[in-house]
Amino acid sequence: MSNQALALSNSNVAMAISNPGALGTIEAYISAVNRLPLLSAEQEKNLAEQLQKEGNLDAARDLIMSHLRLVVSISRQYLGYGLPHADLIQEGNIGLMKAVKRFDVSRGVRLVSFAVHWIKAEIHEYVIRNWRMVKIATTKAQRKLFFNLRSMRPDGQTLNPEHIEGIAAKLNVRPEDVSEMEVRLSGRDMSFESQTNDDDEFAPISYLSDDGDHEPTSVIEKQAYDTLQSSGISQALSLLDERSRRIIEARWLQDEGGGATLHELAAEFGVSAERIRQIEAASLKKMRKALSE
């Protein structure tokens, strides 16, 4: 997502929401939203009531616009994850809109206090979803550790048992969860297959493959092969007439030694060797069709 996708028009808020890109850069966007006026408690209450009771979208727009600077401020806290600031702001704006939609002025709290949680939740989800190719945190404990472990870890030090126990107690998670997240954060994404032709032997696909018989695809293939070799062949043979079945069995299904020759079978049935070959070809074709089905 480009910085332009976040720009809002300071002169016409309605046009800005429907037509992002008017300001050009993320810096211009931040400068613009910081100039937008803040609402007094009375103004905020009136707008919230209009939205809640009348569904007034202009009131919703004004509530959102007056709190865009809050999203910018919160998004700066997540710049250390290496994700574009523009995208962080965009996700935070989505959280702000959700907060405005659910805001209940009768609870006696200001929108800024209510919206903080929605903005952070949306940014958290975006960071976790995009920080690595493989999602690094799924459970509640993992999410808590993901956003707190780096700041709680001693600079440049590996966590020892004492550190792990202390962090686990502060965050109310299991010590083993702390150890696992430490390993996850210290790792990096790696392509399963080599991106070049020069280092194929160093790609994970070369040393993580299972050469045994336990790989699922191999197991299924073996089961299918065994089925074809037993009941599959028997069923296919049952579709042939007696002469054709005799020819196939004599030519291909002998347990010991080589199969009968075309001339031997020609003498047995009193036909030419060419006729035996034709019957054999037609029978094999019929059997292949039956086995494929």
Side-chain angles (χ1 to χ4, degrees):
M1 186 66 64
S2 67
N3 292 345
Q4 294 181 353
L6 292 169
L8 300 174
S9 171
N10 195 30
S11 60
N12 190 327
V13 288
M15 182 181 296
I17 292 177
S18 62
N19 182 30
L23 296 181
T25 67
I26 186 63
E27 292 77 15
Y29 168 82
I30 294 173
S31 176
V33 299
N34 284 334
R35 293 196 302 269
L36 292 172
L38 295 175
L39 297 175
S40 66
E42 188 63 27
Q43 289 174 320
E44 181 177 292
K45 180 180 178 181
N46 291 336
L47 289 171
E49 289 177 345
Q50 292 177 38
L51 174 61
Q52 189 173 6
K53 297 177 181 179
E54 305 170 13
N56 190 325
L57 295 182
D58 287 336
R61 178 202 63 195
D62 291 341
L63 288 170
I64 292 170
M65 298 300 292
S66 65
H67 288 80
L68 289 177
R69 68 178 68 195
L70 173 64
V71 175
V72 172
S73 176
I74 293 175
S75 67
R76 288 197 178 100
Q77 302 172 21
Y78 301 90
L79 291 176
Y81 292 99
L83 298 170
H85 194 190
D87 288 354
L88 293 171
I89 293 176
Q90 174 181 283
E91 297 300 320
N93 284 344
I94 293 174
L96 173 61
M97 286 184 266
K98 290 181 178 180
V100 168
K101 181 179 180 180
R102 293 165 174 80
F103 181 53
D104 186 356
V105 70
S106 65
R107 294 176 180 264
V109 298
R110 294 294 300 271
L111 176 57
V112 63
S113 301
F114 181 74
V116 164
H117 305 287
W118 286 92
I119 295 169
K120 286 187 174 181
E122 209 67 31
I123 293 178
H124 283 187
E125 184 62 31
Y126 169 75
V127 171
I128 290 175
R129 191 171 61 246
N130 293 277
W131 190 63
R132 290 271 179 83
M133 183 179 297
V134 178
K135 199 169 185 179
I136 196 170
T138 54
T139 66
K140 183 177 180 180
Q142 289 173 347
R143 287 169 177 262
K144 189 185 299 184
L145 284 164
F146 177 80
F147 288 105
N148 292 278
L149 184 57
R150 289 196 298 181
S151 62
M152 300 176 71
R153 181 175 52 190
D155 292 338
Q157 297 183 29
T158 302
L159 292 180
N160 57 38
E162 183 179 349
H163 290 145
I164 291 174
E165 292 290 343
I167 293 173
K170 288 181 181 178
L171 297 178
N172 193 28
V173 298
R174 299 179 304 169
E176 49 266 37
D177 290 334
V178 178
S179 300
E180 181 181 355
M181 184 54 65
E182 168 74 2
V183 173
R184 291 189 179 192
L185 289 174
S186 61
R188 61 183 180 87
D189 287 335
M190 178 181 293
S191 175
F192 185 64
E193 296 181 341
S194 173
Q195 301 301 301
T196 66
N197 296 325
D198 301 330
D199 55 352
D200 290 339
E201 67 276 14
F202 300 110
I205 193 173
S206 65
Y207 57 80
L208 292 179
S209 58
D210 182 6
D211 297 327
D213 296 329
H214 305 296
E215 198 274 325
T217 304
S218 300
V219 172
I220 294 173
E221 289 178 350
K222 186 176 185 304
Q223 291 174 345
Y225 178 79
D226 292 342
T227 299
L228 289 177
Q229 289 285 61
S230 54
S231 60
I233 294 293
S234 298
Q235 291 175 6
L237 284 171
S238 67
L239 300 176
L240 304 178
D241 59 72
E242 184 176 351
R243 184 174 63 171
S244 299
R245 185 163 58 252
R246 163 63 183 151
I247 291 173
I248 294 300
E249 289 175 343
R251 290 277 290 160
W252 299 100
L253 301 178
Q254 298 302 306
D255 294 333
E256 297 181 1
T261 65
L262 293 176
H263 291 285
E264 290 172 344
L265 291 171
E268 179 179 338
F269 289 103
V271 296
S272 66
E274 175 59 21
R275 179 57 184 155
I276 295 296
R277 188 196 65 76
Q278 292 173 355
I279 295 173
E280 177 188 33
S283 300
L284 289 174
K285 181 179 180 180
K286 189 173 184 179
M287 290 179 67
R288 279 194 293 268
K289 181 179 179 182
L291 290 173
S292 66
E293 294 174 352

